[in-house]
Amino acid sequence: RLKSVGRVNRRLHVLTSEGPAPALPLTLHLNAPDTPPVGHITSLAQDFELARTVALGYLHRTSEDQTAFVAA
């Protein structure tokens, strides 16, 4: 859904995380779980070759430049 013409508010991104895959649903926050959410994870899977969790998730357009998120 567009709030105004030409600006998409959320985009689908590939995200990676070290360690085992957590349970869904997960929301993404910038610094701490008590901050406002900036996105959510839609699906995830464990990549055994990289020993990481790979996820697909939507991020708000204002937080696309960030490189670290807290999932809660």
Side-chain angles (χ1 to χ4, degrees):
R1 185 173 137 184
L2 299 173
K3 281 192 175 179
S4 63
V5 176
R7 291 177 33 185
V8 178
N9 288 320
R10 296 180 301 161
R11 281 197 193 163
L12 187 64
H13 289 273
V14 175
L15 307 165
T16 60
S17 172
E18 296 179 6
L24 290 176
L26 291 172
T27 57
L28 298 173
H29 305 269
L30 283 180
N31 297 321
D34 58 346
T35 60
V38 294
H40 65 277
I41 293 178
T42 58
S43 59
L44 49 87
Q46 186 71 33
D47 186 344
F48 295 105
E49 290 182 18
L50 297 176
R52 290 180 170 227
T53 300
V54 179
L56 290 175
Y58 284 100
L59 290 176
H60 193 269
R61 64 181 164 82
T62 58
S63 60
E64 287 181 337
D65 301 351
Q66 303 298 320
T67 59
F69 299 96
V70 175

